[in-house]
Amino acid sequence: FTFISASIFDNKKLLEIDPGYLANLHALPYVERERLLNGNWNVKPSSGLYFKTHYFEVVEAIPKTTKKIRYWDRASTKKTETNDPDATVGIKLEKGENGLFYVSDMVRVFESPLGVEQTIKNTASRDGRDCHIYLEQDPGQAGKMEMDYLTRSLAGYVVKSNKVSQDKVTRALPVSSQCEAGNIKVLKGSWNDQFFKELENFPDGKHDDIVDSFSGAFNMMNNAGYSLENLSRW
């Protein structure tokens, strides 16, 4: 067999018909960009390829924002000296009038189901009623019943559920691209180090609750074509 390599630049007709196609390839996350633009099919997802700390500017304050959401990726096990459970994580994401996105807060706890419920309620009270709440919904009837209960317990707030179907890496691709482009800022806080650490370790890290909450918040903020339930327009 003879292998003859080619790139998008060899397809002059395509570039002529769709001038924006090349820009779309450049906007892809690193792994997909290497594969589809540079033909590097040996590249594999690994830590540091989707998120790097230097992608983010840490800011002392955020400007006026037009959208606010808190996305919860929930777990239900307390942490002890003998276990290493997943955490319940709630990322608060805001969109500024300037079109940029701001991670303004992160809540991360290891609690029982009752403790998780109370944490979500307390955080909602602190965030205010203009911050929409998104809850990741477990599959099956039990997940639907749980969502109905939590929605009732958060009466007075805008509560929406999200049933995920794509894998974690696929869900993280849209927000990864925006981070690399410098379009997502992070408000300075005591939680920053944990946030950056888990993002840089994705997808090889033992835990990815922060990433799931972060990507969920971004996808729901932008209605990025994922499975949504009870989602209304802003």
Side-chain angles (χ1 to χ4, degrees):
F1 296 92
T2 300
F3 173 73
I4 303 174
S5 64
S7 74
I8 183 60
F9 300 104
D10 296 298
N11 193 339
K12 301 185 185 302
K13 193 64 177 177
L14 173 60
L15 293 178
E16 178 184 334
I17 295 173
D18 187 2
Y21 184 73
L22 183 59
N24 291 337
L25 291 179
H26 279 291
L28 290 171
Y30 177 78
V31 174
E32 283 65 35
R33 186 170 67 245
E34 279 294 298
R35 290 172 175 171
L36 300 178
L37 178 60
N38 299 323
N40 177 14
W41 291 94
N42 293 317
V43 65
K44 297 183 182 299
S46 62
S47 296
L49 292 185
Y50 290 98
F51 301 100
K52 298 180 186 295
T53 299
H54 72 259
Y55 289 167
F56 302 89
E57 178 187 1
V58 178
V59 297
E60 297 285 346
I62 61 177
K64 185 177 181 180
T65 57
T66 59
K67 298 178 182 178
K68 301 177 184 180
I69 69 172
R70 174 85 68 171
Y71 188 99
W72 290 97
D73 179 71
R74 293 169 299 122
S76 58
T77 303
K78 285 192 173 184
K79 193 169 187 176
T80 68
E81 294 181 356
T82 59
N83 67 1
D84 185 21
D86 290 335
T88 291
V89 177
I91 293 286
K92 185 178 181 182
L93 185 68
E94 305 187 40
K95 186 173 184 179
E97 291 182 334
N98 55 10
L100 299 177
F101 299 91
Y102 298 86
V103 183
S104 57
D105 187 52
M106 181 180 79
V107 174
R108 182 172 179 265
V109 297
F110 299 90
E111 287 289 350
S112 64
L114 181 60
V116 169
E117 179 187 347
Q118 194 60 52
T119 297
I120 293 174
K121 288 181 180 178
N122 292 341
T123 305
S125 178
R126 189 176 76 245
D127 287 341
R129 298 185 187 278
D130 62 338
C131 181
H132 291 197
I133 302 169
Y134 282 82
L135 303 170
E136 196 159 295
Q137 180 177 331
D138 293 331
Q141 184 63 25
K144 187 177 186 304
M145 293 175 63
E146 184 187 31
M147 282 302 103
D148 290 342
Y149 168 75
L150 287 173
T151 299
R152 288 195 302 271
S153 70
L154 290 164
Y157 298 93
V158 178
V159 184
K160 304 172 189 290
S161 60
N162 177 42
K163 292 188 294 186
V164 299
S165 55
Q166 289 79 10
D167 63 87
K168 295 173 182 289
V169 170
T170 300
R171 300 200 304 269
L173 293 180
V175 72
S176 171
S177 294
Q178 293 300 311
C179 291
E180 186 175 359
N183 294 330
I184 300 182
K185 317 292 184 183
V186 175
L187 184 63
K188 185 176 182 180
S190 59
W191 48 272
N192 290 171
D193 287 345
Q194 186 65 50
F195 176 80
F196 292 135
K197 179 181 179 181
E198 186 171 302
L199 260 62
E200 284 215 333
N201 286 334
F202 181 78
D204 294 334
K206 186 173 182 180
H207 298 290
D208 47 26
D209 318 294
I210 294 173
V211 177
D212 287 346
S213 180
F214 185 34
S215 60
F218 183 82
N219 292 332
M220 297 303 98
M221 175 77 78
N222 296 280
N223 192 6
Y226 290 82
S227 175
L228 310 180
E229 181 173 284
N230 301 325
L231 179 61
S232 61
R233 293 186 179 274
W234 293 93

